[in-house]
Amino acid sequence: MKKTVFITGATSGIGLGCARKFAANGDRLILNGRNLEKLQAICQELAAQGTETYALPFDVRDREAASQAVASLPTEWQQIDVLVNNAGLALGLEPEYEGNLDEWETMIDTNVKGLLTMTRLIVPQMIERNSGHIINVGSVAGDAAYAGGNVYCATKAAVKALSDGLRIDVADTAVRVTNLKPGLVETNFSNIRFHGDTDRAANVYKGIKPLTGDDIADVAVFAANAPEHVQIAEVLILATHQASGSVIVRK
């Protein structure tokens, strides 16, 4: 059955992988991102393949813009079956006592408060219909801190706690909640973290075959299409030579 899937941060990485994989699954997509040009290009790409798409550009950190955008959806796009809370980022690797306060605020506003905003805007309609699925993109970093990860790890620990809390809150309904916890995924994640230092970003994946955005998207699509009585609550997805957030064997 065709679903309406709302994906935040859909212009790159895991979000883009989810857009393409859900499209291949035959679903219709509401795609969110800050970069309108990229968003429109992705919608055009998928529309050319026969996928119904709707571009909804806004920054998840801006609660008012998010509220207005969701409220502006045409009637035929208002019933959202799957919400993929993917928008997120990491900035810097400084010790906590030397961290950049502005960067911390950006991570918290995006990874935690943005996820909460979207959950608050979309989930009530799922409760009313007694149907829906929230897929939060967390991280292995949410299981245990690693050197330099401090605030980023804390935001992903929050994603885990918020996913678990929401799952408890909706347990008396047919709404499902999934927390995906990727390890090393080769996207523009490290490039953003290192402020465009391509060489430093490349070293993160040196000596190991990392995951791709498509790998994580495959798991998201699988979870969304599990039988109605099956709730895939949490999935840790690691590269073969990665054992945890801090144990990586490079060859």
Side-chain angles (χ1 to χ4, degrees), residues 130-149:
N130 195 35
S131 175
H133 196 154
I134 304 92
I135 300 176
N136 292 331
V137 179
S139 172
V140 63
D143 288 346
Y146 55 76

Side-chain angles (χ1 to χ4, degrees), residues 200-244:
R200 191 178 179 192
N203 282 334
V204 173
Y205 312 107
K206 191 174 182 179
I208 185 171
K209 185 173 182 179
L211 303 168
T212 67
D214 284 353
D215 294 327
I216 310 307
D218 281 333
V219 181
V221 172
F222 180 84
N225 288 279
E228 289 184 1
H229 71 288
V230 177
Q231 179 171 216
I232 299 175
E234 189 171 279
V235 185
L236 177 64
I237 311 140
L238 302 175
T240 299
H241 295 294
Q242 179 177 15
S244 70

Side-chain angles (χ1 to χ4, degrees), residues 36-245:
L36 178 58
E37 188 176 340
K38 286 184 179 180
L39 204 58
Q40 289 175 332
I42 294 160
C43 285
Q44 289 172 3
E45 171 197 327
L46 298 178
Q49 299 168 13
T51 300
E52 290 182 79
T53 63
Y54 193 95
L56 205 61
F58 63 89
D59 189 333
V60 296
R61 295 177 297 173
D62 187 334
R63 186 170 62 190
E64 184 176 347
S67 298
Q68 290 176 354
V70 171
S72 75
L73 286 168
T75 303
E76 64 271 23
W77 286 96
Q78 289 178 3
Q79 181 173 313
I80 295 160
D81 301 299
V82 181
L83 169 63
V84 181
N85 275 319
N86 164 74
L89 77 166
L91 293 169
L93 274 171
E94 294 80 11
E96 195 169 321
Y97 57 85
E98 294 179 348
N100 183 302
L101 290 167
D102 290 335
E103 292 183 349
W104 291 353
E105 188 169 7
T106 297
M107 286 188 282
I108 293 167
D109 285 353
T110 307
N111 301 359
V112 181
K113 293 166 69 176
L115 178 146
L116 280 169
T117 294
M118 297 310 302
T119 299
R120 183 64 182 84
L121 290 172
I122 302 300
V123 175
Q125 58 165 278
M126 294 181 175
I127 301 298
E128 187 176 345
R129 295 196 320 270
N130 195 35
S131 175
H133 196 154
I134 304 92
I135 300 176
N136 292 331
V137 179
S139 172
V140 63
D143 288 346
Y146 55 76
N150 44 73
V151 174
Y152 173 71
C153 294
T155 66
K156 291 304 183 177
V159 171
K160 173 176 170 52
L162 292 171
S163 300
D164 291 346
L166 181 60
R167 196 177 303 110
I168 292 167
D169 291 338
V170 303
D172 62 337
T173 76
V175 176
R176 301 184 292 185
V177 181
T178 299
N179 180 24
L180 301 182
K181 304 191 301 185
L184 278 178
V185 184
E186 189 168 12
T187 63
N188 64 345
F189 175 89
S190 291
N191 198 272
I192 291 172
R193 173 171 238 168
F194 300 130
H195 308 289
D197 187 334
T198 306
D199 292 338
R200 191 178 179 192
N203 282 334
V204 173
Y205 312 107
K206 191 174 182 179
I208 185 171
K209 185 173 182 179
L211 303 168
T212 67
D214 284 353
D215 294 327
I216 310 307
D218 281 333
V219 181
V221 172
F222 180 84
N225 288 279
E228 289 184 1
H229 71 288
V230 177
Q231 179 171 216
I232 299 175
E234 189 171 279
V235 185
L236 177 64
I237 311 140
L238 302 175
T240 299
H241 295 294
Q242 179 177 15
S244 70

